[in-house]
Amino acid sequence: MTALRRRLSALITAIAVILTAFAAPASAANLLTNPGFEAGSLSGWSCSGGTVVTSPVRTGSYALAATASGMEIGKCTQTVSVVPNTTYTVSAWVRGNPVYLGITGGPSTWTNAPSYTQLSLTFTSSASQTSAQLYLHGWYGAGTYNADDIVLDGPGGGNPGAPGTPGNPSIGAITNTSIALSWSASSGTVTGYRVYEGSTVRATVTGTSTTITGLATCSSHSYTVAAYNSAGESAKTTQVSATTTGCVSTGLPKHALIGYLHTSFANGSGYIRMADVPDTWDVINLAFGEPTSVTSGDIRFRQCPAAECAGVESEADFIAAIRAKQAKGKKVLISIGGQNGQVQLTTAGARDAFVNSVSAIIDKYGLDGLDIDFEGHSLYLNAGDTDFRNPTTPVIVNLISALRTLKSRYGAKFVLTMAPETFFVQVGYQFYGGAGGGDNRTGSYLPVIHAMRDALTVLHVQDYNSGPVMGLDNQYHTMGGADFHIAMTDMIKAGFPVAGTGHTFPGLREDQIAFGLPAAVSAGNGYTAPAQVHTALNCLARNQSCGGYTLRGGASPAIRGLMTWSINWDRYYNWEFQNSHEPFLNALP
């Protein structure tokens, strides 16, 4: 009996081991490379202001130390392959003031901890997602933070037996309501191809071409293609963009020179009479209309008093000069806001006052349209307002309503331009105000731009007075050279995921895009020498001289042009801006 008991005991133990193995599936692997920095380096990571240290560490011999100083946030990222429609867990042990952990385009969390504390979150990949980027960062000027033992847990991407990536698509025939696409065949066994716009499947075909129909007139679209079979789906191709035909012309030249004219105030650059503005300027923005109070919505415009601006013309001469410019095909707009003109349309009453007062200015001077130059704290997002397609914050909702009313009132030829700072647009790739954490103004222009995209004539983001901004290459870009203008403008053309929201901002038509820069060193931080501006334009318009940067949105031969602050500063510096750039713009394709 003793021997039998021993044999039965051994058999039961073996069965238990087998049952345990089947009952408890193996845990998913940490997909990160060098997750605890035990390589003694940043191998596998891309960091701005980061290094590996031996103290303080949580486990092992090394940890990350990254410094957020000035306009740097000390961001470190790593991208891994993931499986679509799959939930992943993310965690990191961190210490600092504060430290953020998140997934680009997905959820994030943060803490303010003097000693190592664990942050954790989960995210679910979308139906077409094959990669995810984990990030850690501090906050502007908050100093050094540490991180150790970082985990991104779940099944790795890649589907054995799935077909290879198809050839990049090309654009065929375009009509008012359709765009034709074609691509070369994928390698391997292919069941068919899916054409994506963002994460949405727009067509499923067995061949290597299709036509997307039912599109809006004069609307921009970006597509990728993936092959699939029973084993899974390939990686997606590079994105290609196109715009349907039927756009209404507002009378601007293909490539325009746009400038602000100091008409209501004086500064060191001197006053210029409207009649003395050279005809090289295609769009003249009158700076500025300002509110009677921050929340009144009541916008007023006056010419600069003679006591401040020597040589200011009479109102009659000013209006006559505007008519003369318009007779030559130039557009004259009223610009609302500026550095000192805070406009918060917090109520329906303020919205209506805005519409009525701006209309009165346009009618009095016979202007061609409106430029929105809201800065400072004019726009922001309330907590929880995370869908730029359906905003809920009153200052955003009321501005959109007001602009739609003005566009409807003045018709298709009404010129609408916007001049946001990078903080309110491109920074939305990393931080979106309504998603919580940090500054609630980040990305707050995006819902306005998106809502007005069919009515928007030109978006000329201010590529100046800006800190470093992360581009679509997930690298930081700084002012003053071609690189900054290329990366920032490409984001507007290609579109980008909006941080922490799960939504993607679609790119604009190329004819709606310009970029802004100071006319001279005294006009603002970020002055760029003419040769560097021309390098940027060659890259953006011709896909040449890009300096190693790959355009995600493709070449934009119809890019609208350049904006500057300001015409006055350009004259003060002997017209360097107009003399350098107007001939170059005219020579673009």
Side-chain angles (χ1 to χ4, degrees):
M1 290 294 293
T2 302
L4 179 59
R5 288 194 186 99
R6 283 199 298 268
R7 287 195 295 271
L8 286 172
S9 177
L11 178 60
I12 291 168
T13 300
I15 292 171
V17 169
I18 293 170
L19 290 175
T20 300
F22 280 101
S27 62
N30 187 356
L31 301 181
L32 296 173
T33 299
N34 194 20
F37 305 95
E38 294 307 305
S41 70
L42 294 174
S43 174
W45 296 88
S46 176
C47 293
S48 173
T51 188
V52 170
V53 296
T54 57
S55 179
V57 301
R58 177 178 176 269
T59 63
S61 302
Y62 300 97
L64 169 70
T67 301
S69 60
M71 296 303 293
E72 290 283 351
I73 59 171
K75 188 168 188 177
C76 286
T77 65
Q78 187 172 146
T79 300
V80 300
S81 296
V82 297
V83 177
N85 288 324
T86 302
T87 298
Y88 291 81
T89 60
V90 179
S91 64
W93 289 86
V94 300
R95 60 187 297 273
N97 178 27
V99 191
Y100 292 77
L101 169 70
I103 297 295
T104 299
S108 64
T109 184
W110 68 281
T111 188
N112 182 348
S115 59
Y116 274 110
T117 301
Q118 189 177 40
L119 289 173
S120 61
L121 57 86
T122 63
F123 76 95
T124 301
S125 54
S126 69
S128 60
Q129 187 174 355
T130 57
S131 66
Q133 183 186 70
L134 178 147
Y135 65 78
L136 289 152
H137 65 77
W139 195 246
Y140 298 101
T144 300
Y145 70 88
N146 298 101
D148 202 355
D149 301 326
I150 306 162
V151 175
L152 197 164
D153 223 354
N159 298 307
T165 306
N168 290 331
S170 58
I171 300 296
I174 301 175
T175 71
N176 283 8
T177 59
S178 68
I179 296 173
L181 300 166
S182 62
W183 55 90
S184 57
S186 172
S187 61
T189 302
V190 176
T191 301
Y193 298 90
R194 297 184 181 111
V195 179
Y196 287 90
E197 184 169 7
S199 60
T200 302
V201 176
R202 295 300 185 195
T204 300
V205 296
T206 56
T208 57
S209 64
T210 191
T211 297
I212 310 298
T213 60
L215 305 176
T217 297
C218 191
S219 59
S220 293
H221 304 271
S222 298
Y223 300 107
T224 56
V225 180
Y228 70 93
N229 61 20
S230 59
E233 188 177 83
S234 74
K236 293 178 181 177
T237 63
T238 298
Q239 182 173 271
V240 66
S241 301
T243 301
T244 56
T245 55
C247 299
V248 176
S249 173
T250 54
L252 291 181
K254 183 175 181 180
H255 305 298
L257 200 66
I258 303 166
Y260 287 81
L261 185 68
H262 309 178
T263 45
S264 66
F265 65 96
N267 68 6
S269 62
Y271 185 78
I272 302 177
R273 293 163 60 96
M274 175 62 72
D276 295 332
V277 174
D279 289 339
T280 48
W281 298 94
D282 300 301
V283 180
I284 303 167
N285 292 326
L286 304 181
F288 287 105
E290 297 182 358
T292 54
S293 69
V294 172
T295 59
S296 70
D298 185 11
I299 307 299
R300 303 298 174 90
F301 172 75
R302 60 162 194 166
Q303 289 179 259
C304 185
E308 296 179 32
C309 297
V312 64
E313 67 268 56
S314 68
E315 184 176 89
D317 287 345
F318 181 65
I319 293 174
I322 291 173
R323 296 293 179 276
K325 292 296 179 190
Q326 292 168 328
K328 295 177 180 179
K330 312 304 176 183
K331 304 298 180 182
V332 184
L333 316 181
I334 180 64
S335 180
I336 307 298
Q339 180 177 347
N340 298 322
Q342 303 295 295
V343 182
Q344 295 180 351
L345 304 184
T346 55
T347 65
R351 174 201 65 197
D352 296 343
F354 183 89
V355 170
N356 293 332
S357 58
V358 170
S359 295
I361 295 168
I362 291 171
D363 294 344
K364 177 178 180 179
Y365 295 96
L367 303 179
D368 297 287
L370 170 65
D371 172 69
I372 298 297
D373 185 17
F374 284 15
E375 300 180 16
H377 291 268
S378 292
L379 297 182
Y380 54 84
L381 293 156
N382 289 340
D385 189 354
T386 60
D387 185 353
F388 69 86
R389 303 165 304 175
N390 299 287
T392 57
T393 306
V395 296
I396 304 290
V397 173
N398 289 329
L399 176 60
I400 292 169
S401 176
L403 295 178
R404 284 175 171 161
T405 299
L406 288 166
K407 179 68 176 181
S408 177
R409 179 172 296 182
Y410 290 102
K413 292 188 178 296
F414 183 75
V415 177
L416 175 64
T417 66
M418 299 182 191
E421 297 163 288
T422 58
F423 185 76
F424 298 99
V425 183
Q426 289 94 336
V427 172
Y429 177 54
Q430 289 181 274
F431 314 107
Y432 192 63
D439 195 312
N440 68 347
R441 298 173 297 160
T442 51
S444 57
Y445 250 92
L446 293 176
V448 182
I449 296 167
H450 183 68
M452 300 306 299
R453 63 175 52 241
D454 291 339
L456 181 63
T457 310
V458 188
L459 175 73
H460 34 63
V461 175
Q462 299 178 31
D463 285 1
Y464 51 93
N465 298 335
S466 170
V469 182
M470 180 174 283
L472 296 179
D473 56 356
N474 292 321
Q475 301 299 312
Y476 283 94
H477 300 268
T478 56
M479 298 183 302
D483 171 75
F484 191 70
H485 303 301
I486 292 169
M488 295 301 98
T489 309
D490 188 42
M491 294 182 79
I492 302 304
K493 171 69 181 301
F496 53 87
V498 179
T501 68
H503 304 301
T504 297
F505 175 78
L508 296 179
R509 303 191 314 266
E510 59 193 81
D511 65 283
Q512 293 177 299
I513 303 170
F515 62 86
L517 58 163
V521 292
S522 300
N525 296 319
Y527 168 78
T528 307
Q532 288 290 299
V533 177
H534 297 168
T535 296
L537 287 170
N538 268 328
C539 173
L540 294 166
R542 298 185 170 103
N543 201 10
Q544 300 172 357
S545 306
C546 294
Y549 182 91
T550 300
L551 292 175
R552 275 67 177 176
S556 300
I559 186 171
R560 183 60 73 180
L562 297 174
M563 174 274 281
T564 194
W565 177 265
S566 64
I567 296 172
N568 303 63
W569 279 116
D570 195 32
R571 184 190 66 170
Y572 189 86
Y573 279 83
N574 298 315
W575 302 112
E576 178 191 79
F577 193 94
Q578 72 163 24
N579 292 341
S580 298
H581 299 318
E582 194 257 353
F584 192 87
L585 288 173
N586 290 341
L588 288 176

